[in-house]
Amino acid sequence: RRFTEQNWLPSVFNDIFGNEWTPRAGMTAPSVNILEDEQEYKIEVAAPGMTKDDFNVLINEGNEMVISMEKKSESEEKEKDGKRYLRREFSYSNYKRTFTLPDNVDKANIAAKVDNGMLTVSLPKMKEEEMMKNCRCIEVK
């Protein structure tokens, strides 16, 4: 039974954390991990060489989290430490990734940090009682 659940999980994440890349020329797409435990979801984005100033994380009106990143290119720099570039491939220009959030995410307490080239976004889960507070019963007449 456990094996079946593991096969089923990737499709659940595709449905819940639906995502799409905005294609751009010269863009290198970083790898993403999505983790879950009892208290939270966690999204990790591999972004070597990036700093917190290179990221923007926002929640839009459509219950989506948008992670965007822009690295200012050093393309004008012809030399580095007295060495001339013969070929230069590794650089992130910019990209954007959109995740559709599950209903049980506590949007008020989402946190993001960058550490050692990894952006980590923590999405705490609401308890069922908290989710019920947001529900409204409509009187049927």
Side-chain angles (χ1 to χ4, degrees), residues 15 20 45 58 67 79 92 95 97 99 107 125 132 139:
D15 291 341
E20 60 183 56
V45 180
L58 64 89
I67 298 174
E79 293 186 10
Y92 288 100
Y95 71 86
R97 185 142 191 195
F99 298 90
K107 293 179 203 68
K125 293 180 180 179
M132 293 306 291
E139 180 184 350

Side-chain angles (χ1 to χ4, degrees), residues 36-100:
E36 178 188 18
D37 63 21
E38 294 286 324
Q39 288 80 35
E40 68 179 352
Y41 300 100
K42 193 171 280 190
I43 297 177
E44 298 173 335
V45 180
M50 306 305 271
T51 67
K52 66 179 187 167
D53 297 327
D54 298 324
F55 287 97
N56 186 25
V57 180
L58 64 89
I59 307 297
N60 67 20
E61 65 282 351
N63 197 39
E64 296 173 324
M65 181 177 63
V66 180
I67 298 174
S68 57
M69 183 174 83
E70 183 175 0
K71 184 69 171 175
K72 307 299 186 259
S73 178
E74 301 171 7
S75 58
E76 297 81 31
E77 187 179 316
K78 302 286 188 232
E79 293 186 10
K80 183 175 183 177
D81 299 328
K83 296 178 183 151
R84 182 171 52 92
Y85 285 104
L86 298 178
R87 183 178 181 123
R88 188 169 184 172
E89 290 185 345
F90 65 92
S91 71
Y92 288 100
S93 51
N94 54 29
Y95 71 86
K96 178 172 72 171
R97 185 142 191 195
T98 302
F99 298 90
T100 302

Side-chain angles (χ1 to χ4, degrees), residues 2-58:
R2 186 74 179 150
F3 180 74
T4 305
E5 289 174 8
Q6 287 174 344
N7 288 340
W8 182 67
L9 280 176
S11 66
V12 169
F13 279 115
N14 288 338
D15 291 341
I16 293 176
F17 283 102
N19 59 73
E20 60 183 56
W21 286 100
T22 304
R24 301 199 181 201
M27 180 186 78
T28 303
S31 299
V32 174
N33 293 331
I34 300 175
L35 302 95
E36 178 188 18
D37 63 21
E38 294 286 324
Q39 288 80 35
E40 68 179 352
Y41 300 100
K42 193 171 280 190
I43 297 177
E44 298 173 335
V45 180
M50 306 305 271
T51 67
K52 66 179 187 167
D53 297 327
D54 298 324
F55 287 97
N56 186 25
V57 180
L58 64 89

